[in-house]
Amino acid sequence: MVKKYHPWNKCTNKNKNKLCTSKYIARKFKDRIISKPNIKLWEIQEWVRQKLGLYVGRTIAYMSKAIVMKEFIEDWKLEFFRLADYADMIKRTNRVSSYWIRTNKDTVPGKNMFVYFYVCFDAFKRGWLEGCRRIIGFDGCFLKGLCKGALLVAVGKNGNTHMFSIAWAVVDQETKHSWTWFIQNLSADLELGDGFNLIVMSDIQKGLIHAIEDCLPMAEHRMCARHIWSNRFKDELARLGMLGRNICEDVLDYNKEV
């Protein structure tokens, strides 16, 4: 028999759980945190709220991130010790391919610090020499994960006007010295000489421009139209768009005498 009936439930929903510890969150969201190493603490808190319906403080979010990053960074540091093994594997499986590792012993006494790593497979060499146009595009991008540095690439254009990878390198910084080292190795692999009868395309990165002038002085150097538009004309075109849809037609039809 029901003696008292209370239609309204005044109990508050609890969104905290003592079992939701930093170790549990690190195990649960390990892959997400590794894929986004610069993640903010509030993003981890939001993941926990959406996935588990629980609230965790910034301290637990910080500790869970620290657990994952410590484990991942240790594995990442060990990878640098295996660069020589990777180079030996290339030597065994692709004997004609080029690979160069450059280290620095002066930065930290007693240790070989990584500086540059260059790779150009023999299939890419022969592919460019036998089936591609005499055009090479150079570009670089920053590595924004835990492995800081820059990625330098050289691409060509095949008979179908598709991009054709030639070589790449991982360097500490995108400077004139690193670009010169990269282009010198590439020039030796492709037998470019002084760049005669060669077209080079790049952006307006100062170090790259000077490196091309020094290593390939006879090459015809052209700037990438995409970078020119992005760096110089993007704002001007945006301002023209504010004047109306038919601004180009109106300018062409404009009569100065009126």
Side-chain angles (χ1 to χ4, degrees):
M1 178 182 294
V2 178
K3 294 183 178 180
K4 291 184 180 180
Y5 172 67
H6 299 282
W8 301 104
N9 185 10
K10 297 182 180 180
C11 298
T12 58
N13 294 328
K14 293 184 178 181
N15 58 356
K16 295 183 179 180
N17 193 325
K18 293 182 179 180
L19 298 178
C20 188
T21 61
S22 57
K23 293 183 179 180
Y24 174 79
I25 296 174
R27 185 171 63 253
K28 186 76 174 178
F29 299 98
K30 178 180 178 181
D31 295 336
R32 286 192 181 185
I33 296 174
I34 290 176
S35 63
K36 195 176 181 182
N38 296 324
I39 186 175
K40 305 296 183 181
L41 298 182
W42 66 265
E43 295 183 73
I44 298 178
Q45 292 176 294
E46 187 66 17
W47 287 349
V48 175
R49 187 189 66 80
Q50 294 179 355
K51 187 72 175 180
L52 306 176
L54 298 175
Y55 168 81
V56 293
R58 291 176 58 86
T59 303
I60 295 180
Y62 173 80
M63 293 175 63
S64 61
K65 179 182 177 181
I67 292 172
V68 175
M69 299 308 291
K70 182 179 180 181
E71 179 183 354
F72 181 64
I73 288 175
E74 291 299 325
D75 294 340
W76 166 70
K77 287 182 178 179
L78 292 175
E79 293 296 328
F80 281 93
F81 293 102
R82 305 204 62 186
L83 280 177
D85 297 336
Y86 177 63
D88 291 338
M89 182 60 68
I90 295 176
K91 183 178 181 180
R92 290 201 300 266
T93 56
N94 299 270
R95 295 187 176 183
V96 194
S97 299
S98 299
Y99 54 91
W100 302 104
I101 302 175
R102 186 167 186 173
T103 59
N104 186 358
K105 298 181 180 180
D106 299 330
T107 304
V108 180
K111 291 186 178 181
N112 289 335
M113 301 299 294
F114 169 80
V115 183
Y116 302 149
F117 183 76
Y118 169 87
V119 177
C120 181
F121 290 116
D122 179 61
F124 293 164
K125 295 182 195 178
R126 292 185 287 103
W128 187 84
L129 291 171
E130 299 174 6
C132 291
R133 304 175 183 179
R134 297 279 296 180
I135 301 174
I136 297 179
F138 294 103
D139 201 1
C141 65
F142 295 108
L143 299 175
K144 297 182 179 180
L146 288 174
C147 180
K148 303 295 183 182
L151 176 68
L152 310 183
V153 296
V155 296
K157 182 177 287 189
N158 60 17
N160 294 327
T161 66
H162 295 163
M163 285 194 300
F164 185 87
S165 299
I166 304 175
W168 65 89
V170 177
V171 300
D172 55 350
Q173 293 179 351
E174 189 178 358
T175 61
K176 177 185 176 181
H177 187 273
S178 61
W179 273 116
T180 300
W181 182 82
F182 178 69
I183 295 174
Q184 285 176 347
N185 288 325
L186 182 68
S187 179
D189 288 332
L190 302 181
E191 300 177 356
L192 300 178
D194 57 2
F196 178 73
N197 197 25
L198 176 70
I199 298 177
V200 174
M201 183 175 65
S202 70
D203 58 6
I204 318 178
Q205 210 272 344
K206 294 182 180 179
L208 175 56
I209 292 177
H210 295 318
I212 293 174
E213 292 175 352
D214 294 341
C215 300
L216 304 171
M218 298 300 295
E220 182 180 351
H221 191 183
R222 298 185 180 183
M223 302 302 175
C224 175
R226 173 66 180 81
H227 287 87
I228 294 175
W229 175 83
S230 177
N231 297 334
R232 297 188 178 182
F233 301 112
K234 188 175 182 179
D235 295 336
E236 284 76 0
L237 291 175
R239 283 194 284 269
L240 286 175
M242 297 173 62
L243 299 177
R245 278 188 175 181
N246 301 324
I247 182 61
C248 295
E249 291 80 356
D250 295 340
V251 171
L252 293 174
D253 296 338
Y254 176 70
N255 188 357
K256 295 182 180 179
E257 299 179 355
V258 177

